[in-house]
Amino acid sequence: MDFFFKTVTWAGSGLILFPIALIISGLLFFNDRRADALLVSGGLLGTFILVHGLKCLFARPRPDVQDLLVAMPADFSFPSAHTAQAAAMALACAMAAGRHVSTAASVTIWGCLGLATLVVGISRVYLQVHYISDVVAGAILGAAWVLTLHRLLKWAAHWI
């Protein structure tokens, strides 16, 4: 299990997610799906900014654990950036894809992306670099930002 969780935790890393978001957003943009492109890129970028701002605000130390499986991240613990970014990216992609595929495909997409987010969150606790509350808060933060951005984009579409 150690190798599995050390690997899947990277699915929430900005180093992995930002290039993927850029590619997906570019494809959406050039297929005249600009709002979806903004949802994916803005969802991830906004979450990144919010989560790191909140880390500085709360300044919660990481768990004090010996013999870690991975190096302890240098930043604060609350909220979990990996989980927030995974949740934001998953929700934004599921919302963008869900409008353009069949119901069965949409359910599959939502299920797979939701499961991926859950596994990233579990990996952060398993690797002992976060408390459970950090992970839950991260997931809520990422989802809340994407839903807020979605509403803002719908509102702006009426005025542009």
Side-chain angles (χ1 to χ4, degrees):
M1 293 301 289
D2 293 354
F3 177 76
F4 173 74
F5 284 118
K6 284 165 60 172
T7 303
V8 299
T9 200
W10 282 97
S13 171
L15 294 173
I16 303 297
L17 292 177
F18 276 106
I20 293 170
L22 188 61
I23 291 166
I24 292 171
S25 295
L27 292 170
L28 291 167
F29 182 84
F30 289 115
N31 282 296
D32 292 325
R33 294 178 54 195
R34 288 172 177 77
D36 288 336
L38 285 171
L39 185 64
V40 172
S41 59
L44 183 59
L45 181 60
T47 298
F48 177 86
I49 293 167
L50 286 170
V51 79
H52 288 288
L54 288 172
K55 281 179 178 283
C56 292
L57 179 68
F58 287 103
R60 181 180 191 179
R62 298 267 179 179
D64 186 19
V65 179
Q66 305 301 322
D67 301 324
L68 287 171
L69 296 171
V70 296
M72 183 64 77
D75 62 349
F76 292 112
S77 184
F78 184 87
S80 168
H82 279 72
T83 307
Q85 292 164 175
M89 184 72 167
L91 182 57
C93 288
M95 290 174 76
R99 290 189 284 269
H100 299 280
V101 296
S102 69
T103 303
S106 182
V107 168
T108 303
I109 290 167
W110 280 86
C112 289
L113 292 174
L115 181 62
T117 300
L118 179 64
V119 172
V120 167
I122 291 169
S123 77
R124 303 308 286 165
V125 175
Y126 180 89
L127 296 172
Q128 299 177 320
V129 295
H130 279 292
Y131 300 102
I132 292 172
S133 57
D134 301 341
V135 170
V136 171
I140 292 169
L141 174 69
W145 169 246
V146 169
L147 292 171
T148 300
L149 181 59
H150 180 257
R151 297 288 291 175
L152 289 170
L153 290 170
K154 284 180 82 168
W155 177 80
H158 293 292
W159 298 101
I160 298 176

